[in-house]
Amino acid sequence: MFQKVLIANRGEIAVRIVRACRDLGLATVAVYEPSDMGALHVRLADEAYILNSPQGYRDPEEMLAVALRSGVDAIHPGYGLISEDPSFKRACEEAGITIVGPTSEVSTQVRDKVGAIQRVQAAGMPTTRPSTRTFGPDEGADLLAEAQRLGYPLVIKSCAGGHGRGTALVHNPEKLLDIARRSSAQAQAAYRDGRIYLEAAIIPSRYIEVPILGDHHGNIIHLGDHDGSIQRNTRKIISEAPAPNLSPSQREAIWTSAIAVARLFGLRGACTIEFVLDGAGNHFFSEVKPRIQVEHLVTEMITHIDVVREQLHIAAGLPLRLDQTQVHLDGHAIFCRINAEDPWRNYLPSPGLISAFRLPGGPSVRVDTYAYAGAEVPVRYDSLLAKLVVWGAERDECLQRAQRALQEMHISGIQTNLSLLQLLITHPEFTSGSYTTAFSHLKLNNPTPPPSQLRDLAAIAALTYLNRTRAAQSTTPTAYTTGWHRDSRRLPQ
Amino acid sequence: MFQKVLIANRGEIAVRIVRACRDLGLATVAVYEPSDMGALHVRLADEAYILNSPQGYRDPEEMLAVALRSGVDAIHPGYGLISEDPSFKRACEEAGITIVGPTSEVSTQVRDKVGAIQRVQAAGMPTTRPSTRTFGPDEGADLLAEAQRLGYPLVIKSCAGGHGRGTALVHNPEKLLDIARRSSAQAQAAYRDGRIYLEAAIIPSRYIEVPILGDHHGNIIHLGDHDGSIQRNTRKIISEAPAPNLSPSQREAIWTSAIAVARLFGLRGACTIEFVLDGAGNHFFSEVKPRIQVEHLVTEMITHIDVVREQLHIAAGLPLRLDQTQVHLDGHAIFCRINAEDPWRNYLPSPGLISAFRLPGGPSVRVDTYAYAGAEVPVRYDSLLAKLVVWGAERDECLQRAQRALQEMHISGIQTNLSLLQLLITHPEFTSGSYTTAFSHLKLNNPTPPPSQLRDLAAIAALTYLNRTRAAQSTTPTAYTTGWHRDSRRLPQ
Amino acid sequence: MSKLIINIAGHDFEVEVNKSPDTDGFTTVSVNGETLRVAIAPEAAPTAIEWAIVGERSYEVLFDRDMRSIQSVHGHHELRIRDLEAGVARPRSGDGRVKAPIPGIIANVLIEMEQTVSAGQPILVLEAMKMQNEITAPRAGTITTLNARRGQTVTLHELLVEIS
Amino acid sequence: MSKLIINIAGHDFEVEVNKSPDTDGFTTVSVNGETLRVAIAPEAAPTAIEWAIVGERSYEVLFDRDMRSIQSVHGHHELRIRDLEAGVARPRSGDGRVKAPIPGIIANVLIEMEQTVSAGQPILVLEAMKMQNEITAPRAGTITTLNARRGQTVTLHELLVEIS
């Protein structure tokens, strides 16, 4: 095992990796951009190095320099940032520092999403139908021609990143270029890479994901499956494991495909094989994520396996500690991504000081976060604030607990999507488990509570208003003194 | 199943019960003394009734009146307060409201600790050797005579409560009456019952506890065992499951005894059978706790069973959902009780406003608490602030994670025993698993960190001091301006 | 005695408040003529998590900064408060000034000076926290101020556009 | 430039602080002649959890109210700070006044007026938070004030005993 690990990331995933290292007794080295100086991952690590280059967390050279200077024997890149950058991986490999995850060679192969699909196809497995190549934002004519060849409806996808930012459904040629430009800009903002490709759309569809672990000794196991179909504002915000409404034989077939794909690419460490499921229940390989997933907690809850711990074990060259028969898929887990954003104002990000913060507790509830009361949500980074996961022996128990945990969780000072998550997990389409990716675009109506509850809330609002205006007599915002306070707020679709 | 449950308790256990009810979809009714109006259990419940009698939470009549007024069909009494009061249970039974836990009759039997031991003895099982009767604080002569009969060393125990307040070891007659008076006063303060009894001391000894579940259909199962030998200031502050250093046959024998005791008394719901283990590894029945334990989390972590949920199931008359073969004892768990007290100042309780509060996260870590940043630790109640439990596949993994979680946890504004817990769980006697109750009295030395760390801390202290005095120039406490700031602090034994 | 009209999720409630709480901390409040006993968290400190007890019903509530929404376990609701003692009601929506809702970089400017826009029309794209955020016109009118150009860094509440 | 003597866990350190942090937020500090770069949390707000970076070593620290102890993952240590600019050192232990450290009820009074006590001798038992808490004499001397009787309710910092 290693002695000291550099964590080439920030936010909750850096904190998660510090925890896994501590749990193994390994020393940790954090890095930070100046604006992240007081961040939790810095506080919790044993050592912390400032990144002075303008690229900061995204600068592979400075990252490697810190690794050499601090004398670590391994680097954990987390997800996002430079976690999938083959040139960074190669540089680490050449410097003799272990980088947790697949090799630079494998990373290069799976990073080429179109090429990866073609390779899986060539191996005789069902895949989605992508365009033959990728496109820059200004290749309109070529894009139109390729779209014509694939046929509509089709999906635009970003070359970098996941199913998220940049992904958009196109029904006809008239809208293709506009949507493509927007996708490209979104991908550029999120991943610093505006290239896109096309894929024949599958409607209705579900995203089924299979996490796998592979060691350096040829052993590969899967850790079940989860459904990642539910997005809002281009982000997967809910995942559940196992994916609901799959027959045992469907599940078995998907797992078998996942293991075959993992063998094909020689995947090592923790990776995720992603599939699209069509309305008839057929699955099609879509892509490989060669790194820890944001939602890996959902897997940890149903397997009782600490996935980050296993990543470190595997990277150290140790054989897998479990074979497939020893992986017990137990119960049900639901994962919610809590963002610092206002879903009632077009998902406007909401940085600032967290004035109150209370986590849910009790059995089978876990929250991973870099936040706490008094912490600052920085302006510069992603809005991911906290990750909630709950477990239940049955799906119903899990649903009930997820609802309770969301109700208990309290964050103020900034806006969050907690109330949106509550709406989603109590929606009949979610509770029935019959949802597809179409659920991501469903317009949600905020249900009106019974009149007696509204009456109570009115009394509370009145009393609170009077208390606040009395307390802040001199500093009352103008809005309070003009009589009406209103704002038209509807949940965007 | 019930529709609505009254929670006849406060603090973290009331919150825990609200959670279990919510997870089952049951409505909850909280009660509160006026000084607890904004407490978390009140906030999270659906309904909340004020208790106006001076006895408050300890008034069985008002509690029953609230139950009738709110129309609940069950009452969960938690632990402490009136949870073991047979007269309250009888009144509920007569009013036709289910009270979660054993019947009033069983409660009466096990509440008589001396009688319970005699009954178990009569059934042919090994027990501790108690005095033949109990004593009030003023029965000095009788006490001395009984002590003579039992022989020294012996243990004074309180009739009410657990192993905790009131328990004291006596080596010779000269000290008996002084210690007995002190024990009685402690028990009076803690449990409002100053009666005591004697027990022949077993040295060295360990406290081994076996939680059981019994239903109304004659089924009884055990949920493994845990070690509760470690106390500080008369409170169990660390528990671990399974109890370390027991052979499989020892463990099996203890479980068998526990089930036999449970059958003997006709225990229902969640109860705990407590044993004392001598130096040769023989176990002796000591007492029955006919209610949920403070440290039940340690059991939940190794069994994946939500014990409070099961209590409600059983109280509703449902048969146990698991038989003994379906209870899988998985891995290792360590429980820490976090108190609002200053272990460096003779365990002085520390009420007040919690200014900062940060919970540990990551896999296999759970904290149950009523507290959060901005919450008040009330003056009137017990110092129990939070309960931390961590799990690991092996004991070593669990120890490492416990250490990490304690390091991550941050509470300020009040004093807590977090640093004491850190000292204890890293102590060689604890990490080796070879501890006995003697560990509770061990003098702990705060290890001195290496000079380079002290040097860093000195630099930090200097800079912080300068910042604070600069910021609070006008309001500097006198202590800051007199030059030396000191206080002699040693950890009491 | 204070009198307010509280509109929650489109429903109007006339609320009268007797200002002195009793010894238990409850205030007598009349809502549409119905008398309720209400207790709320004693201070609205920014770190406090607000709670209330109405009769025997317990609530935790979260208001946004300007009390224009209320959140509880029962959902997220629009809120309008009209204080009948504060004089004539004036709708706030008449303001055509568009300020930066968060700090960020102007990724795109979708309008020009003197251009006519309709309410809700996208006018700017602000990049912040790795997202492209569309800023829409708060009302219909003509662009009379335009202080935003592509690539510009803006601070919180900086005036970007005015619509008259 | 400020000069302090910091005693941690019985070890003395002479610390000199150059008061202006550099642009990265680090201040140059000399400890026993060794130069260190130290950054600490910018404000000591009561809600803040204090952290520091010394060179490339990261710390979270917790001081008690009067900065008489420092806690970190490395343990709980006694702390004495002597500000060489604040004049002559005066030990705080000379104070013979015993105040209620927490609110509670006097469960027992173990001394009488004019009685001689030694430092550390139990003088009162204060019942609070369901515990009997012994209060000991902060110094040796004679009881000259006794404001505590059994059963009495006391408030925080109420003067109970004076030892001269």
Side-chain angles (χ1 to χ4, degrees):
Chain A
M1 187 42 69
F2 311 113
Q3 298 297 309
K4 204 198 234 186
V5 177
L6 172 77
I7 296 144
N9 216 304
R10 65 168 303 284
E12 68 77 29
I13 192 63
V15 171
R16 173 71 184 86
I17 299 164
V18 170
R19 286 170 175 157
C21 291
R22 279 267 162 89
D23 287 353
L24 279 165
L26 314 181
T28 50
V29 177
V31 289
Y32 60 99
E33 294 181 359
S35 59
D36 246 355
M37 198 176 205
L40 188 59
H41 73 284
V42 177
R43 294 159 171 252
L44 294 186
D46 298 297
E47 297 176 29
Y49 287 73
I50 195 164
L51 298 171
N52 279 315
S53 93
Q55 269 198 287
Y57 295 119
R58 292 174 190 277
D59 187 331
E61 281 175 36
E62 193 173 9
M63 201 65 84
L64 186 60
V66 170
L68 292 169
R69 201 170 136 218
S70 60
V72 297
D73 40 12
I75 299 177
H76 196 307
Y79 56 71
L81 298 175
I82 54 172
S83 65
E84 295 174 57
D85 180 343
S87 70
F88 175 55
K89 290 197 166 191
R90 200 167 315 114
C92 293
E93 286 159 6
E94 283 163 8
I97 296 175
T98 303
I99 181 143
V100 173
T103 60
S104 61
E105 198 194 327
V106 171
S107 295
T108 306
Q109 288 163 5
V110 302
R111 193 182 167 83
D112 171 12
K113 293 187 194 174
V114 173
I117 292 174
Q118 288 164 345
R119 186 166 168 192
V120 172
Q121 217 166 29
M125 283 182 271
T127 69
T128 55
R129 281 201 303 125
S131 52
T132 50
R133 68 172 184 96
T134 63
F135 300 87
D138 302 319
E139 301 181 78
D142 290 1
L143 197 65
L144 274 166
E146 180 75 3
Q148 201 56 41
R149 200 186 61 77
L150 276 173
Y152 292 85
L154 50 77
V155 180
I156 299 175
K157 289 189 160 184
S158 66
C159 290
H163 286 308
R165 257 76 56 84
T167 302
L169 186 65
V170 186
H171 285 279
N172 55 57
E174 288 70 47
K175 295 202 168 162
L176 180 69
L177 295 190
D178 260 11
I179 298 178
R181 255 190 298 275
R182 204 182 178 117
S183 282
S184 175
Q186 281 185 356
Q188 180 67 40
Y191 314 119
R192 317 270 165 116
D193 179 353
R195 282 175 315 126
I196 54 170
Y197 67 102
L198 304 177
E199 217 174 71
I202 294 172
I203 298 173
S205 69
R206 295 171 62 187
Y207 292 146
I208 308 292
E209 308 177 344
V210 180
I212 63 104
L213 292 177
D215 66 14
H216 289 73
H217 309 275
N219 303 306
I220 296 179
I221 58 174
H222 71 81
L223 304 177
D225 51 75
H226 53 263
D227 191 308
S229 305
I230 299 181
Q231 301 192 346
R232 284 276 152 174
N233 195 35
T234 75
R235 283 192 178 103
K236 275 190 282 185
I237 56 170
I238 295 179
S239 298
E240 67 171 315
N245 288 344
L246 289 186
S247 69
S249 61
Q250 270 180 311
R251 222 179 278 283
E252 199 67 52
I254 294 171
W255 295 343
T256 305
S257 294
I259 297 278
V261 169
R263 284 210 188 286
L264 186 65
F265 288 96
L267 297 182
R268 281 177 198 163
C271 300
T272 304
I273 322 295
E274 305 196 344
F275 298 93
V276 179
L277 203 75
D278 71 10
N282 304 304
H283 67 276
F284 304 93
F285 167 77
S286 156
E287 59 179 286
V288 171
K289 293 278 159 57
R291 39 112 186 128
I292 188 81
Q293 265 190 308
V294 173
E295 62 270 35
H296 70 276
L297 289 73
V298 83
T299 302
E300 296 187 326
M301 290 303 258
I302 61 161
T303 59
H304 307 299
I305 291 172
D306 178 339
V307 174
V308 182
R309 187 183 185 92
E310 295 309 316
Q311 284 188 298
L312 291 162
H313 268 279
I314 291 167
L318 300 169
L320 282 180
R321 294 184 297 173
L322 300 168
D323 65 29
Q324 192 66 61
T325 62
Q326 291 168 307
V327 177
H328 300 294
L329 301 175
D330 173 28
H332 204 92
I334 292 177
F335 169 91
C336 294
R337 175 183 176 133
I338 294 149
N339 291 326
E341 67 187 12
D342 190 345
W344 313 97
R345 279 171 78 193
N346 212 3
Y347 299 96
L348 190 71
S350 185
L353 182 75
I354 296 174
S355 54
F357 194 78
R358 195 186 62 211
L359 296 180
S364 306
V365 173
R366 168 179 166 195
V367 181
D368 276 17
T369 179
Y370 68 84
Y372 49 91
E376 191 81 35
V377 176
V379 176
R380 288 182 60 127
Y381 310 106
D382 191 86
S383 65
L384 171 52
L385 178 66
K387 307 196 299 195
L388 166 72
V389 67
V390 303
W391 178 90
E394 312 286 341
R395 187 170 190 264
D396 279 355
E397 180 183 331
C398 187
L399 281 170
Q400 197 90 41
R401 187 167 284 141
Q403 192 181 336
R404 187 267 292 174
L406 285 170
Q407 286 178 351
E408 248 181 60
M409 191 157 180
H410 186 104
I411 302 170
S412 57
I414 56 162
Q415 300 295 321
T416 71
N417 64 339
L418 277 171
S419 59
L420 170 66
L421 287 165
Q422 278 183 47
L423 270 186
L424 290 173
I425 63 150
T426 52
H427 194 283
E429 209 164 305
F430 182 72
T431 56
S432 70
S434 61
Y435 56 88
T436 68
T437 51
F439 186 54
S440 304
H441 308 287
L442 192 74
K443 190 183 163 153
L444 295 171
N445 291 314
N446 220 329
T448 301
S452 66
Q453 261 163 20
L454 281 185
R455 175 204 62 199
D456 287 358
L457 293 174
I460 295 165
L463 214 52
T464 305
Y465 170 86
L466 292 174
N467 258 23
R468 287 199 186 179
T469 43
R470 223 175 301 155
Q473 209 62 277
S474 53
T475 57
T476 310
T478 342
Y480 284 170
T481 55
T482 53
W484 281 103
H485 304 274
R486 66 175 297 283
D487 199 13
S488 56
R489 291 186 182 189
R490 254 161 282 108
L491 184 61
Q493 291 155 44
Chain B
M1 187 41 71
F2 310 112
Q3 298 298 309
K4 205 195 230 186
V5 177
L6 172 77
I7 296 143
N9 215 304
R10 65 168 304 282
E12 68 77 29
I13 193 64
V15 171
R16 172 71 185 86
I17 299 164
V18 170
R19 286 170 175 155
C21 291
R22 279 268 162 88
D23 287 352
L24 280 165
L26 314 181
T28 50
V29 178
V31 289
Y32 59 99
E33 294 181 358
S35 60
D36 247 355
M37 198 177 205
L40 189 59
H41 74 284
V42 177
R43 295 160 170 250
L44 294 186
D46 298 297
E47 297 177 29
Y49 287 73
I50 196 163
L51 298 171
N52 279 314
S53 92
Q55 268 198 287
Y57 295 119
R58 292 176 190 275
D59 186 330
E61 280 175 36
E62 193 173 10
M63 201 64 84
L64 187 59
V66 170
L68 293 169
R69 203 170 134 218
S70 60
V72 297
D73 39 12
I75 298 177
H76 196 309
Y79 56 70
L81 297 176
I82 53 172
S83 65
E84 296 174 58
D85 180 344
S87 70
F88 175 55
K89 291 198 165 191
R90 200 169 313 113
C92 293
E93 286 159 6
E94 282 164 7
I97 296 175
T98 303
I99 180 142
V100 172
T103 60
S104 60
E105 198 194 327
V106 172
S107 296
T108 307
Q109 288 163 5
V110 301
R111 194 182 166 83
D112 171 11
K113 292 187 194 174
V114 173
I117 291 173
Q118 288 165 343
R119 185 166 167 193
V120 172
Q121 215 165 31
M125 284 182 272
T127 68
T128 56
R129 280 200 303 126
S131 52
T132 49
R133 68 170 184 98
T134 64
F135 300 87
D138 302 319
E139 300 181 82
D142 289 1
L143 197 66
L144 274 166
E146 180 75 4
Q148 202 55 42
R149 199 187 62 78
L150 275 173
Y152 293 85
L154 50 78
V155 180
I156 298 175
K157 289 188 161 185
S158 65
C159 291
H163 285 310
R165 257 76 57 83
T167 302
L169 186 66
V170 187
H171 285 279
N172 53 57
E174 289 71 47
K175 294 203 169 162
L176 179 70
L177 295 190
D178 260 8
I179 298 177
R181 252 191 300 276
R182 202 183 179 116
S183 283
S184 176
Q186 282 185 355
Q188 181 67 38
Y191 315 119
R192 317 269 165 116
D193 179 354
R195 281 176 315 127
I196 53 171
Y197 67 102
L198 305 176
E199 217 174 72
I202 294 172
I203 298 173
S205 70
R206 296 171 62 187
Y207 293 146
I208 309 291
E209 308 177 344
V210 180
I212 63 103
L213 292 177
D215 66 13
H216 289 72
H217 309 277
N219 304 305
I220 296 179
I221 58 175
H222 71 79
L223 304 177
D225 51 73
H226 52 262
D227 190 307
S229 304
I230 300 181
Q231 301 192 347
R232 284 275 150 174
N233 197 33
T234 75
R235 282 192 179 103
K236 273 189 284 185
I237 57 170
I238 295 180
S239 298
E240 67 171 316
N245 288 344
L246 289 187
S247 70
S249 62
Q250 269 180 312
R251 220 179 279 285
E252 199 68 52
I254 294 171
W255 295 342
T256 304
S257 293
I259 297 278
V261 169
R263 286 213 186 284
L264 185 66
F265 287 97
L267 298 182
R268 281 177 199 165
C271 299
T272 303
I273 321 297
E274 306 196 344
F275 298 93
V276 178
L277 203 75
D278 70 11
N282 303 305
H283 67 276
F284 304 93
F285 167 78
S286 156
E287 60 180 285
V288 170
K289 292 279 157 58
R291 39 112 184 128
I292 188 82
Q293 263 190 309
V294 172
E295 62 269 37
H296 70 276
L297 288 73
V298 84
T299 302
E300 297 187 326
M301 289 304 257
I302 60 160
T303 60
H304 308 297
I305 291 171
D306 178 339
V307 175
V308 182
R309 187 183 185 92
E310 295 309 317
Q311 285 189 298
L312 291 162
H313 267 279
I314 292 168
L318 299 169
L320 283 180
R321 295 184 296 173
L322 300 168
D323 65 29
Q324 192 66 61
T325 63
Q326 292 167 310
V327 178
H328 301 295
L329 301 175
D330 174 28
H332 205 92
I334 292 176
F335 169 91
C336 294
R337 175 184 176 131
I338 293 150
N339 291 326
E341 66 186 14
D342 189 345
W344 314 96
R345 277 172 77 195
N346 212 1
Y347 299 95
L348 190 70
S350 184
L353 182 75
I354 296 173
S355 53
F357 195 77
R358 195 185 64 210
L359 295 181
S364 306
V365 173
R366 168 180 166 194
V367 182
D368 276 17
T369 179
Y370 68 83
Y372 49 92
E376 192 81 36
V377 175
V379 175
R380 288 182 58 130
Y381 309 107
D382 191 88
S383 65
L384 171 52
L385 179 65
K387 307 197 299 196
L388 166 71
V389 68
V390 304
W391 179 91
E394 313 286 341
R395 187 171 189 264
D396 279 355
E397 180 183 332
C398 187
L399 280 170
Q400 197 91 42
R401 187 167 284 140
Q403 192 181 337
R404 187 265 293 174
L406 285 170
Q407 287 178 349
E408 251 181 58
M409 191 157 181
H410 187 104
I411 302 170
S412 57
I414 57 161
Q415 300 294 320
T416 72
N417 63 339
L418 276 170
S419 58
L420 171 65
L421 287 165
Q422 278 184 45
L423 270 185
L424 291 173
I425 63 150
T426 53
H427 194 283
E429 208 164 306
F430 182 71
T431 56
S432 69
S434 61
Y435 57 88
T436 68
T437 51
F439 187 53
S440 305
H441 307 289
L442 192 72
K443 190 183 163 154
L444 294 171
N445 290 314
N446 221 329
T448 302
S452 65
Q453 262 164 20
L454 281 185
R455 175 205 60 200
D456 287 358
L457 293 174
I460 294 164
L463 214 52
T464 305
Y465 170 84
L466 293 173
N467 258 23
R468 286 198 186 180
T469 43
R470 225 176 300 156
Q473 210 62 279
S474 55
T475 57
T476 309
T478 341
Y480 284 170
T481 56
T482 53
W484 281 102
H485 305 274
R486 65 174 299 284
D487 199 13
S488 57
R489 291 186 183 188
R490 252 163 284 106
L491 185 61
Q493 291 154 47
Chain C
M1 180 75 79
S2 297
K3 224 172 178 173
L4 301 101
I5 309 278
I6 305 288
N7 182 297
I8 295 192
H11 298 73
D12 265 345
F13 295 91
E14 198 177 309
V15 185
E16 286 182 19
V17 179
N18 176 334
K19 280 193 180 173
S20 46
D22 64 18
T23 49
D24 279 348
F26 283 89
T27 304
T28 300
V29 174
S30 149
V31 184
N32 289 352
E34 189 178 353
T35 300
L36 299 172
R37 294 179 70 233
V38 184
I40 64 170
E43 55 203 271
T47 58
I49 300 178
E50 293 181 79
W51 54 266
I53 301 172
V54 184
E56 274 87 25
R57 293 171 302 282
S58 172
Y59 292 89
E60 272 199 333
V61 287
L62 177 58
F63 296 98
D64 71 357
R65 215 166 300 229
D66 302 327
M67 292 194 74
R68 289 184 299 201
S69 72
I70 181 169
Q71 257 174 259
S72 71
V73 297
H74 308 293
H76 175 280
H77 305 293
E78 287 178 41
L79 180 65
R80 293 194 294 168
I81 299 173
R82 189 179 179 192
D83 187 342
L84 295 182
E85 285 168 4
V88 188
R90 257 193 300 145
R92 251 182 90 263
S93 59
D95 195 341
R97 287 179 302 170
V98 179
K99 296 175 178 180
I102 47 171
I105 292 167
I106 302 294
N108 218 341
V109 179
L110 307 171
I111 39 97
E112 293 172 5
M113 273 296 280
E114 308 299 341
Q115 183 178 331
T116 310
V117 293
S118 52
Q121 179 181 336
I123 54 174
L124 297 171
V125 179
L126 179 66
E127 193 178 318
M129 291 179 91
K130 293 172 65 197
M131 294 291 286
Q132 300 238 328
N133 307 286
E134 253 178 18
I135 313 269
T136 56
R139 45 166 285 186
T142 307
I143 304 294
T144 53
T145 308
L146 178 54
N147 285 333
R149 52 171 211 293
R150 202 178 165 138
Q152 177 190 342
T153 302
V154 298
T155 57
L156 182 66
H157 295 154
E158 189 173 330
L159 181 68
L160 305 176
V161 170
E162 221 163 336
I163 303 169
S164 305
Chain D
M1 181 75 80
S2 297
K3 224 170 177 172
L4 301 102
I5 308 278
I6 305 288
N7 182 298
I8 296 193
H11 297 72
D12 264 344
F13 295 90
E14 198 178 310
V15 184
E16 285 182 19
V17 179
N18 176 335
K19 278 192 182 174
S20 46
D22 65 18
T23 49
D24 280 347
F26 283 89
T27 303
T28 300
V29 174
S30 149
V31 183
N32 288 352
E34 188 179 351
T35 301
L36 299 172
R37 294 179 70 233
V38 184
I40 63 169
E43 54 203 270
T47 58
I49 301 178
E50 294 181 78
W51 53 267
I53 301 173
V54 183
E56 274 87 25
R57 293 172 301 281
S58 172
Y59 292 90
E60 274 199 333
V61 287
L62 177 58
F63 295 98
D64 72 356
R65 213 166 302 230
D66 302 328
M67 292 194 73
R68 290 185 296 200
S69 72
I70 181 169
Q71 257 175 259
S72 69
V73 297
H74 309 293
H76 176 280
H77 306 293
E78 285 179 43
L79 180 65
R80 293 194 294 168
I81 299 173
R82 188 179 180 192
D83 186 343
L84 296 182
E85 283 167 6
V88 188
R90 257 194 301 144
R92 248 182 92 264
S93 59
D95 195 342
R97 287 178 301 169
V98 178
K99 295 175 178 181
I102 47 170
I105 292 168
I106 302 293
N108 217 341
V109 179
L110 308 171
I111 39 98
E112 291 172 9
M113 273 297 282
E114 309 296 341
Q115 184 178 331
T116 310
V117 294
S118 52
Q121 178 180 336
I123 53 173
L124 296 171
V125 179
L126 179 64
E127 193 178 317
M129 292 181 88
K130 293 171 65 196
M131 293 294 285
Q132 300 238 329
N133 308 286
E134 250 178 20
I135 312 269
T136 56
R139 46 166 282 187
T142 308
I143 305 294
T144 52
T145 310
L146 178 52
N147 285 332
R149 54 172 208 291
R150 202 177 166 138
Q152 177 189 343
T153 302
V154 298
T155 57
L156 182 66
H157 295 153
E158 190 173 330
L159 181 68
L160 304 176
V161 169
E162 223 164 334
I163 304 171
S164 304

